[in-house]
């Protein structure tokens, strides 16, 4: 079993055609043996196409017990509009 500590910072205004910065750090600890498992550090730049769709590109460094590697990420977020129209 693993325990995950997740911290995310995102600056955006939710508007159409808005750019934003995204960063997070995830720390995984093996609670069965109480030891470090891995750490993921990410920073990226995103673009909000509309209120539902965002595109983000960034770089993540993942460090494990004996290895560390970096990877480029391209992410597409689609927030489906499940809002109740009575409360808008």
């Amino acid at each position: 079993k693993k325990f995950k500590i997740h911290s995310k910072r995102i600056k955006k205004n939710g508007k159409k055609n808005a750019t934003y910065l995204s960063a997070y750090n995830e720390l995984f600890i093996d609670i069965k043996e109480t030891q470090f498992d891995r750490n993921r550090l990410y920073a990226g730049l995103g673009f909000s196409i509309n209120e539902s769709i965002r595109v983000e590109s960034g770089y993540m460094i993942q460090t494990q017990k004996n290895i560390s590697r970096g990877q480029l990420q391209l992410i597409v977020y689609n927030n489906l509009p499940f809002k109740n129209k009575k409360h808008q």
Side-chain angles (χ1 to χ4, degrees):
K1 295 184 177 184
K2 305 226 181 341
F3 175 71
K4 180 173 104 169
I5 300 170
H6 182 85
S7 172
K8 183 165 187 166
R9 297 288 179 255
I10 188 167
K11 181 177 169 92
K12 63 179 181 171
N13 59 13
K15 295 181 182 176
K16 185 177 177 180
N17 298 328
T19 57
Y20 63 91
L21 297 174
S22 177
Y24 68 81
N25 187 44
E26 293 179 304
L27 178 63
F28 294 80
I29 299 172
D30 187 339
I31 59 174
K32 196 171 188 179
E33 298 180 23
T34 315
Q35 64 181 0
F36 169 80
D37 184 60
R38 75 183 69 187
N39 189 50
R40 294 178 181 162
L41 181 63
Y42 172 83
L45 179 65
F47 181 74
S48 182
I49 296 170
N50 57 38
E51 291 181 3
S52 298
I53 300 173
R54 301 185 335 251
V55 177
E56 189 173 304
S57 179
Y59 193 76
M60 181 174 67
I61 299 172
Q62 181 169 235
T63 304
Q64 293 178 304
K65 295 175 188 174
N66 300 324
I67 192 168
S68 182
R69 67 180 181 132
Q71 61 191 44
L72 185 63
Q73 293 186 323
L74 179 60
I75 307 161
V76 177
Y77 293 99
N78 184 5
N79 295 325
L80 299 174
F82 289 119
K83 294 180 183 175
N84 187 344
K85 294 190 180 207
K86 292 179 184 178
H87 299 286
Q88 289 183 356

